[in-house]
Amino acid sequence: MTATIDCVWRTLPFIPRRVLRIQRPVYQHHHQFRNSSVRRRGPSDPPLPLSNGIPTTSKPASPKGVWAPKTRLAVGIVFVGSMIYSMLSSPLQPVPERTESPSIADLDSRRKRESGVSSTSPMRLRMEAFIKEQQELIVRELEKVDGGKFRKDTWTRPAGGDGVSCVLQDGKVFEKAGVNTSVVYGTLPRAAIAKMRVNHKALDPDIDSLEFFAAGLSLVLHPQNPMAPTVHLNYRYFETMDKNGDGKAWWFGGGTDLTPSYLFEEDAIHFHRTIKDACDKHDRDYYPRFKAWCDKYFFIPHRGESRGVGGIFFDDLDEEAKDQEELFSFVRHCLQAFLPSYLPIIEKRKDMPFGSREKEWQQVRRGRYVEFNLVHDRGTSFGLATPGARVESILMSLPLTARWVYMHEPERGSKEDRILGVLKKPAEWI
């Protein structure tokens, strides 16, 4: 109310002077006016001069004041009162606030809060829920093996997305173990869209930017015992969207591979057979095709050898391969096959005896692992190139310790030489 009245009074200078004229009377000569004798004017007297249309006298001087003050004050009160009543009785029109439309990440968060995630939810939400569920299961089982507890860090991205990094260091069984999930919302620039169109023709080449979603679970376990193999796993989903969050292009990728320092053929056979069983549930061509892809992908060109004894690897599986539901089912079975493929191996090897020679060789092989991840791995490169990425989570895959020995060559015919022969020429394990 105070602001309204103040606003009205500020308009008073613009009221016509003939309608409302309020002045402060001048009182300093009022006693002269009261004591002076003024003769009543007669018909023969000359007319008085006018001031603003009002007759005045110039002599004797009369004090300045307001003509018809009661009338003018009454008019002013009625005028101002009517303005105040009009302003208060009329509905106020709110000034529209400039608000940004919610992001796709915001819309997805609201959808999860209100409706949860079900079989009818967008695929990106179903994949996110699945990998987080599997992360909890895998961490729980690995803690049973090691006896230690994973450190869990939860993080969020300002641009949208979040993740959970679970890391165990200097454990009884694992020197370093990491099981991470990440969910990323972002915008692809035109150059990135053009690059992706090589494998995904559905992407529109005429747009300057495109919203995207990426979610994945990544796992790397580096055991203490040189007789126990390192293992890696990653399964991911990528989707592009319009401004409303409707999916456009999409694809799945992933795989898992075993990296021993010492070769135990039965371990390699068990690992590959378990993976093949998961692949065969969907397509008998998957295992041989993705096994060959793995051998090719995890090859270290500058060393002329593979990183390990392989597994499976695939990328860019979209509607040209199978429909979305079928591929999601395939990825689920592969990820669920991890624990059966690796736990029997680590249980068998974690307590085997070893000496300084075996430990040194393990460190040399871990050096090769670091070289591949930092130089050739696409996942590491993509993660480090993503604005706002969490570097600690990306580099979680690196071992806690590694070693580079100048011109190191294993003794011919030794256990170390045996594994090196397999790494230079990948074998068919089943």
Side-chain angles (χ1 to χ4, degrees):
M1 171 67 87
T2 302
T4 303
I5 295 175
D6 180 67
C7 177
V8 172
W9 280 110
R10 289 176 184 273
T11 66
L12 291 180
F14 303 100
I15 300 174
R17 294 175 64 86
R18 291 184 181 274
V19 177
L20 178 64
R21 184 181 181 187
I22 301 176
Q23 298 181 7
R24 178 184 295 274
V26 180
Y27 293 106
Q28 58 266 32
H29 300 295
H30 186 60
H31 64 284
Q32 298 176 359
F33 176 77
R34 205 168 59 179
N35 297 330
S36 64
S37 55
V38 180
R39 182 178 62 86
R40 184 184 297 273
R41 292 181 57 80
S44 60
D45 292 331
L48 294 175
L50 300 178
S51 174
N52 292 329
I54 302 173
T56 64
T57 59
S58 58
K59 188 178 181 180
S62 60
K64 295 180 181 180
V66 178
W67 175 79
K70 294 183 179 180
T71 302
R72 293 193 175 195
L73 184 60
V75 172
I77 291 174
V78 171
F79 181 80
V80 173
S82 64
M83 288 185 66
I84 295 174
Y85 175 79
S86 176
M87 294 180 67
L88 294 180
S89 60
S90 300
L92 298 176
Q93 299 298 324
V95 179
E97 296 183 3
R98 298 181 62 182
T99 59
E100 296 182 358
S101 57
S103 66
I104 297 174
D106 293 334
L107 294 174
D108 281 351
S109 295
R110 183 188 307 166
R111 185 183 286 115
K112 287 184 288 186
R113 287 195 308 269
E114 295 176 353
S115 307
V117 179
S118 67
S119 59
T120 61
S121 299
M123 181 56 69
R124 59 180 178 269
L125 301 187
R126 296 167 64 191
M127 183 66 175
E128 176 186 351
F130 174 66
I131 61 175
K132 289 182 177 179
E133 169 193 289
Q134 288 298 302
Q135 180 187 36
E136 292 181 1
L137 174 61
I138 291 171
V139 166
R140 202 160 52 239
E141 293 301 315
L142 294 179
E143 286 180 341
K144 293 178 183 178
V145 173
D146 187 272
K149 291 292 183 181
F150 279 77
R151 169 180 172 175
K152 297 182 180 180
D153 293 329
T154 301
W155 51 270
T156 58
R157 293 183 74 249
D162 56 38
V164 180
S165 298
C166 300
V167 178
L168 187 154
Q169 291 186 159
D170 290 320
K172 296 178 181 178
V173 174
F174 299 107
E175 182 179 282
K176 186 179 180 184
V179 186
N180 293 352
T181 55
S182 61
V183 176
V184 176
Y185 290 82
T187 304
L188 292 172
R190 190 182 185 95
I193 297 171
K195 187 176 181 180
M196 287 184 175
R197 283 200 79 249
V198 175
N199 297 314
H200 304 282
K201 302 302 181 185
L203 292 174
D204 187 349
D206 298 323
I207 56 177
D208 293 326
S209 63
L210 191 62
E211 302 297 313
F212 79 87
F213 168 91
L217 185 151
S218 183
L219 170 155
V220 179
L221 310 178
H222 295 289
Q224 296 275 15
N225 196 314
M227 302 301 169
T230 289
V231 66
H232 160 259
L233 172 148
N234 176 274
Y235 289 102
R236 57 195 176 273
Y237 175 73
F238 193 94
E239 178 180 293
T240 63
M241 305 158 289
D242 61 20
K243 297 295 183 181
N244 299 320
D246 295 327
K248 295 299 182 181
W250 55 268
W251 57 90
F252 290 93
T256 182
D257 62 289
L258 198 67
T259 305
S261 297
Y262 289 92
L263 181 62
F264 296 93
E265 292 186 359
E266 61 269 33
D267 294 350
I269 292 171
H270 169 79
F271 186 78
H272 279 262
R273 180 174 289 131
T274 307
I275 299 170
K276 182 178 183 300
D277 290 344
C279 292
D280 287 350
K281 292 177 181 178
H282 300 272
D283 192 321
R284 289 190 172 273
D285 183 54
Y286 276 175
Y287 172 74
R289 177 180 158 199
F290 297 153
K291 193 266 183 189
W293 199 343
C294 181
D295 290 339
K296 181 179 180 180
Y297 179 81
F298 289 105
F299 187 77
I300 309 173
H302 62 274
R303 295 291 188 180
E305 60 191 46
S306 296
R307 190 175 75 174
V309 296
I312 61 170
F313 176 85
F314 57 89
D315 203 4
D316 300 317
L317 291 189
D318 56 17
E319 67 275 3
E320 294 185 4
K322 294 281 177 67
D323 67 65
Q324 194 176 53
E325 288 295 332
E326 170 60 26
L327 290 175
F328 183 42
S329 177
F330 166 62
V331 168
R332 289 202 312 270
H333 284 133
C334 287
L335 182 47
Q336 290 167 344
F338 167 70
L339 291 174
S341 72
Y342 185 71
L343 289 187
I345 297 173
I346 191 65
E347 289 286 2
K348 189 186 302 183
R349 308 299 171 196
K350 65 183 178 68
D351 296 321
M352 289 185 67
F354 65 90
S356 58
R357 169 182 165 176
E358 288 79 14
K359 195 64 179 178
E360 180 179 324
W361 176 247
Q362 179 196 52
Q363 299 301 297
V364 171
R365 296 311 309 167
R366 285 184 177 172
R368 302 291 198 269
Y369 199 96
V370 171
E371 291 173 21
F372 175 84
N373 279 28
L374 294 183
V375 177
H376 301 292
D377 186 60
R378 288 169 53 184
T380 303
S381 299
F382 177 82
L384 294 176
T386 301
R390 193 170 191 267
V391 176
E392 288 295 324
S393 297
I394 297 168
L395 299 182
M396 172 275 301
S397 63
L398 301 182
L400 194 60
T401 59
R403 186 182 180 99
W404 283 265
V405 180
Y406 182 70
M407 298 297 289
H408 186 278
E409 290 289 339
E411 182 182 342
R412 187 175 295 275
S414 63
K415 296 181 295 183
E416 294 81 9
D417 185 56
R418 184 171 176 235
I419 182 68
L420 199 57
V422 171
L423 298 179
K424 291 183 177 294
K425 188 178 180 180
E428 296 298 328
W429 299 105
I430 52 177

